[in-house]
Amino acid sequence: MTVLYKANMVRGAEWATLFAERAPDLPFRLWPDIGDPAEVRYLVAWVPPDDIAATFPNLELVFSVGAGVDQFDITKLPPHVPLVRMLEPGITERMVEYACMSVLALHRDLVQFIAQQREQVWRELPVTQTGKRRVGVMGLGLLGQAVLGRLKSFGFPLAGWNRSPRSIEGVTCYAGADALPDFLGHTDILVCLLPLTPETRGLLNANLFARLPRGARLLNVGRGGHLIEADLIAALDSGVLSAAVLDVAEPEPLPAGHPFWGHPRILLTPHIASTTAPETAVDFVLDTIARRHRGEALPGRVDRTRGY
Ligand code: NDP
Ligand code: OXD
């Protein structure tokens, strides 16, 4: 009965140490040292190996090492093998930090000031009070709600848009496709924290940008596939949007020469908004395995029909 890990190898070494301490009787292996594939019962992966089901015939549980699961083709997992996304506090805390940093950077024109610095330009830009800068978050799940919770302290008027209705104190909540235009019309800084699904792919496009107040700002911390890249460039170049912070892209890494690298209105980070903390992730995995053995419900279990 083995746990196989296939993700960031530096953090993998930490996982191995923690497993040895906390579950010394449970063999733990780091990809590509898979041992006997028939012994692998639990797979923890970022990019999963091809043909998981055929390679590991006795799998009981598959974990995404991250909060998102779009990198998995759930249809290829046998129905009795649950896919579980990582629910551990480290991911949430780091996302909250990154999102607050980026919203403040967009609010205080940091992207424009970085461009000015490159051009050796010393010029003030008008300051907007936080009370007049409306921040809207798409996706009111675990991360969206945590980010909104921390943004409250800055005094931004807050809104959120979600598939199903939500009620969050201090946040104007919108639900469903019909409510999207209204939400966008009241959003000066748009934050995307949606999962990537067939419904949300390409949602950040020219039509959506056109519904935002002119000169709005964008933070995409969801997935690169949410964004139509050419539409973003056109929106930035025409003033429909004034700046964007992007943590995700498609593909990752972006190829050399891609227009995002040098665009003066884009601040790009290499998908580091949040990372899984081994300390707490190992406990989550061990707890989930124990729950599975007891036949209990599994927090973070991906709904096969929704895809997240
Ligand atoms: P959750 O599953 O907790 O929340 C997702 C939310 O999105 C739910 O509230 C869901 O609504 C809503 N949603 C899903 N589909 C739609 C839709 N079509 N229209 C409107 N709302 C929709 O996920 P998390 O908050 O934990 O994570 C969100 C995403 O953040 C991840 O999937 C991942 O892509 C990204 N992420 C990025 C990281 C980074 O480093 N850049 C790190 C971690 C995560 P409902 O509940 O009604 O179904
Ligand atoms: C995640 C991520 O999904 O890091 O956790 O993107």
Side-chain angles (χ1 to χ4, degrees):
M1 210 186 262
T2 299
V3 179
L4 176 64
Y5 172 99
K6 180 179 182 291
N8 177 289
M9 288 312 262
V10 175
R11 289 196 286 275
E14 287 181 57
W15 280 68
T17 305
L18 291 163
F19 260 88
E21 283 167 19
R22 295 177 192 176
D25 298 330
L26 187 55
F28 179 89
R29 287 180 175 271
L30 292 172
W31 181 272
D33 171 28
I34 65 173
D36 176 359
E39 283 296 313
V40 174
R41 300 291 163 91
Y42 313 108
L43 174 69
V44 182
W46 176 242
V47 178
D50 290 335
D51 211 353
I52 304 180
T55 312
F56 306 109
N58 296 318
L59 263 186
E60 290 179 22
L61 275 174
V62 176
F63 294 88
S64 167
V65 83
V69 293
D70 50 286
Q71 67 279 32
F72 287 86
D73 181 351
I74 307 179
T75 60
K76 295 214 171 122
L77 284 181
H80 68 276
V81 178
L83 174 61
V84 176
R85 71 194 197 94
M86 195 56 62
L87 292 189
E88 63 86 15
I91 294 183
T92 310
E93 192 48 39
R94 289 169 203 200
M95 179 56 80
V96 166
E97 283 174 10
Y98 182 96
C100 289
M101 171 190 79
S102 303
V103 166
L104 288 172
L106 288 165
H107 168 60
R108 293 304 307 269
D109 303 316
L110 193 66
V111 182
Q112 291 88 328
F113 286 128
I114 292 170
Q116 285 192 184
Q117 182 184 348
R118 288 201 189 108
E119 300 292 320
Q120 303 192 20
V121 172
W122 187 277
R123 185 173 60 220
E124 284 188 33
L125 294 172
V127 176
T128 298
Q129 292 166 21
T130 51
K132 296 202 166 138
R133 185 90 75 188
R134 298 158 300 178
V135 180
V137 175
M138 305 175 87
L140 298 178
L142 190 69
L143 298 180
Q145 291 199 38
V147 165
L148 281 161
R150 196 72 64 85
L151 284 174
K152 272 181 196 163
S153 62
F154 296 104
F156 298 111
L158 299 174
W161 177 74
N162 200 56
R163 186 158 83 156
S164 54
R166 290 275 190 278
S167 171
I168 307 169
E169 202 191 328
V171 178
T172 307
C173 293
Y174 299 80
D178 291 349
L180 184 57
D182 201 13
F183 162 75
L184 295 170
H186 293 89
T187 293
D188 301 309
I189 297 180
L190 180 67
V191 178
C192 176
L193 260 170
L194 289 165
L196 185 62
T197 66
E199 270 179 56
T200 63
R201 178 170 283 280
L203 193 62
L204 301 176
N205 60 33
N207 285 336
L208 180 144
F209 299 147
R211 295 198 180 270
L212 291 163
R214 189 169 174 79
R217 292 128 204 251
L218 172 70
L219 166 60
N220 187 16
V221 263
R223 288 290 183 257
H226 287 128
L227 178 68
I228 305 293
E229 297 182 350
D231 289 3
L232 175 64
I233 300 282
L236 290 169
D237 290 349
S238 63
V240 166
L241 295 180
S242 56
V245 175
L246 307 176
D247 180 56
V248 284
E250 198 173 88
E252 291 179 356
L254 275 181
H258 189 284
F260 286 178
W261 285 115
H263 198 288
R265 298 286 170 146
I266 292 178
L267 182 59
L268 189 63
T269 54
H271 199 146
I272 47 70
S274 188
T275 43
T276 302
E279 268 289 324
T280 32
V282 165
D283 285 342
F284 173 74
V285 167
L286 290 173
D287 180 59
T288 306
I289 291 172
R291 283 172 186 267
R292 178 74 171 163
H293 286 164
R294 296 194 297 264
E296 295 172 8
L298 305 179
R301 183 174 186 159
V302 173
D303 178 327
R304 282 174 180 256
T305 49
R306 291 187 324 183
Y308 59 94

